[in-house]
Amino acid sequence: MRRLLVFAALLALVARAEAGILAEAVPVKYNLTVRPGEPVARDVVIKNLGDAPVVVRARFSDWTMSEQGDMEFAPFGSTPNSLSGDVSLEPAQFSLQPGESGVIHLTMRLPEQGPATRWGLVLSEVRPVSWPANRLGPRAIAELGTTLYLSRIGESSTRAELVGMDASASGDTTVALAVRVRNPGERHLYSSGRIVMRDSTGAEVASGDLATGVVLPATQRIFTWTCPLRLPPGRYAVTATLDTAEPELIVGETEVRWPLAPPPVQPVALHR
């Protein structure tokens, strides 16, 4: 599998490249609730915002995600929740003049059997029609992504659980908090949140936002917040408030004693 080092950059609205490529994919994501067996049609628009003609090649890809939110490409059809066999696109290749837009037509159908939610990626590779004869160095290619989610489960059925809040040292002076969010359901959900840290008197000493991210069905995701301040020794109450689009917010609290106690020393087993 090929690693997605910066997945956010892949899904950015506009991709730039050294060879003068400036392109845009609209939209960057489809969240669709569908009736099993019924076809659904959507379009992805690719815009050539650069000053040279380009060639666009479109294909599907699977992707996976770790608990930490790291994502990787996977061959289409290789994951349990793949859309392989359920989606098609046309055209797979076309050219665009400067300022011109092209449309990729998607046809999707979710089967009645199997996972209730499936996902994948439309990758649109954008490259120059011809390379400058006098250009040296690497040849730049832009790759735009549109994420697809198809589910027969409605958004109102999602439920998230806050299952852990773990503190760790970030360097010698600050604390990092890992918030574990579990999705026990069959549809993906999105989680965002805010962290507030208070000292033993109840005064707020630090706060910040947790990044918004997807939590896939039947998985858990770790969202990390790092305190921006050097903390004096003491006890701190840390509150996490999560917004997962449910009617009520999810709130959790833990206590942090700073500095953190060093991990216990494990005995060394002697083998004779």
Side-chain angles (χ1 to χ4, degrees):
M1 291 189 289
R2 182 155 59 95
R3 190 172 181 79
L4 267 163
L5 293 178
V6 186
F7 195 76
L10 170 68
L11 300 185
L13 288 177
V14 178
R16 301 174 183 267
E18 292 180 2
I21 295 176
L22 181 61
E24 180 180 15
V26 181
V28 296
K29 178 170 57 183
Y30 274 120
N31 278 309
L32 302 177
T33 303
V34 299
R35 294 181 179 178
E38 294 187 6
V40 176
R42 292 292 188 275
D43 290 336
V44 176
V45 178
I46 306 298
K47 300 180 181 180
N48 179 11
L49 305 177
D51 56 4
V54 298
V55 175
V56 180
R57 294 185 177 93
R59 70 186 192 280
F60 291 108
S61 175
D62 286 347
W63 55 269
T64 62
M65 175 180 285
S66 71
E67 282 191 347
Q68 291 73 29
D70 298 323
M71 307 184 72
E72 291 184 348
F73 287 121
F76 196 45
S78 65
T79 62
N81 295 78
S82 177
L83 288 166
S84 178
D86 304 318
V87 292
S88 62
L89 60 80
E90 61 174 348
Q93 179 173 321
F94 52 93
S95 299
L96 296 176
Q97 294 299 315
E100 190 176 11
S101 297
V103 178
I104 302 170
H105 302 286
L106 305 177
T107 302
M108 300 167 279
R109 187 193 309 263
L110 189 67
E112 296 183 6
Q113 305 299 321
T117 301
R118 300 171 185 256
W119 56 86
L121 193 64
V122 179
L123 289 177
S124 301
E125 179 190 271
V126 184
R127 64 172 66 207
V129 170
S130 60
W131 302 102
N134 61 347
R135 181 167 180 82
L136 301 177
R139 305 289 180 88
I141 298 173
E143 197 164 50
L144 309 175
T146 298
T147 308
L148 306 176
Y149 296 97
L150 269 68
S151 182
R152 57 178 182 260
I153 306 295
E155 291 185 57
S156 60
S157 299
T158 59
R159 295 290 183 270
E161 300 173 354
L162 198 167
V163 296
M165 296 172 62
D166 303 314
S168 61
S170 177
D172 298 328
T173 59
T174 58
V175 63
L177 188 76
V179 179
R180 293 179 174 269
V181 181
R182 189 168 77 94
N183 177 6
E186 295 184 276
R187 182 189 172 103
H188 63 292
L189 58 86
Y190 291 91
S191 177
S192 60
R194 186 160 183 80
I195 301 294
V196 176
M197 179 177 285
R198 294 180 172 84
D199 62 19
S200 58
T201 69
E204 181 178 320
V205 296
S207 63
D209 294 326
L210 290 172
T212 301
V214 67
V215 188
L216 297 174
T219 67
Q220 67 178 16
R221 174 91 181 264
I222 299 174
F223 297 88
T224 302
W225 173 80
T226 301
C227 177
L229 305 175
R230 295 186 60 175
L231 298 174
R235 294 186 178 185
Y236 297 89
V238 184
T239 302
T241 303
L242 304 181
D243 185 354
T244 58
E246 299 176 37
E248 297 181 355
L249 300 175
I250 301 174
V251 180
E253 186 170 293
T254 190
E255 181 183 87
V256 174
R257 298 186 181 184
W258 185 258
L260 298 176
V265 177
Q266 299 297 326
V268 178
L270 297 179
H271 299 280
R272 298 181 184 273

